[in-house]
């Protein structure tokens, strides 16, 4: 079972002061659904502190994640649209506006979730929609295509 951007795992216009609070917000959506442990959010933040913003994969888009053993219960992806862009320290893709929290319990799941996500993010029209959306209804159509 994959939990991919379900309505309860998507939030718009989120306030975040820095990269860590943006990661926390994306992780909390997974935590609130019982899909990851608090340790997973901590591990995502530590990965950022230790390894830098390697997960800022495209302009304005971050996909923070940690290892399965850091506390993933079920494969899942959350989405946080930041109210104001946040600097993650990436030389090419800063500042970040769209944060996808990814949790996978195996590397196969990790690849499957990333593939679904890149299927959406490869289309610039979808990115524009994700940046301007104010409700789940606004993004429902682009998500249906990847389900």
């Amino acid at each position: 079972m994959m939990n991919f951007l379900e309505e309860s795992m998507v939030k718009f216009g989120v306030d975040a002061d820095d990269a860590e609070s943006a990661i926390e917000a994306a992780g909390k959506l997974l935590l609130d659904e019982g899909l990851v442990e608090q340790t997973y959010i901590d591990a995502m933040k530590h990965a950022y502190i230790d390894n830098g913003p390697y997960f800022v994969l495209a302009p304005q888009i971050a996909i923070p994640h940690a290892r399965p053993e850091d506390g993933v219960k079920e494969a899942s992806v959350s989405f946080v649209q930041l109210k104001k862009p946040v600097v993650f320290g990436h030389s090419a893709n800063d500042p970040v506006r769209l944060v996808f929290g990814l949790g996978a319990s195996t590397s196969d799941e990790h690849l499957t979730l990333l593939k679904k996500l890149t299927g959406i993010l490869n289309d610039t029209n979808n990115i524009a929609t994700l940046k301007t959306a104010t409700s789940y209804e606004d993004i429902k159509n682009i998500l249906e295509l990847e389900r």
Side-chain angles (χ1 to χ4, degrees):
M1 164 97 188
M2 300 226 173
N3 302 278
F4 187 75
L5 301 172
E6 308 301 329
E7 189 166 4
S8 59
M9 299 155 60
V10 170
K11 215 167 177 185
F12 302 95
V14 172
D15 276 311
D17 295 331
D18 53 29
E20 281 178 66
S21 52
I23 294 168
E24 175 88 35
K28 193 173 182 310
L29 291 173
L30 301 177
L31 179 69
D32 289 348
E33 291 299 305
L35 302 167
V36 301
E37 310 271 3
Q38 177 64 43
T39 51
Y40 191 73
I41 299 175
D42 297 340
M44 286 198 291
K45 289 195 282 188
H46 283 133
Y48 168 68
I49 293 164
D50 293 344
N51 306 317
Y54 64 93
F55 53 83
V56 182
L57 298 183
Q60 303 192 60
I61 298 168
I63 308 179
H65 54 272
R67 292 173 312 215
E69 60 268 31
D70 290 322
V72 175
K73 293 187 195 167
E74 281 184 44
S76 48
V77 178
S78 66
F79 168 59
V80 166
Q81 176 208 65
L82 299 176
K83 189 188 272 179
K84 284 178 291 179
V86 167
V87 171
F88 274 59
H90 194 283
S91 56
N93 296 332
D94 261 346
V96 169
R97 185 82 201 284
L98 310 175
V99 182
F100 296 87
L102 189 152
S105 47
T106 65
S107 50
D108 278 352
E109 280 180 0
H110 185 89
L111 288 176
T112 303
L113 291 172
L114 261 187
K115 203 174 157 200
K116 282 160 76 84
L117 205 47
T118 49
I120 292 172
L121 299 176
N122 278 339
D123 185 332
T124 53
N125 291 323
N126 290 345
I127 294 174
T129 301
L130 288 164
K131 279 194 273 192
T132 56
T134 55
S135 75
Y136 195 74
E137 286 298 312
D138 294 342
I139 65 166
K140 220 172 166 179
N141 288 342
I142 61 178
L143 298 179
E144 295 292 331
L145 300 174
E146 286 303 319
R147 288 230 168 92

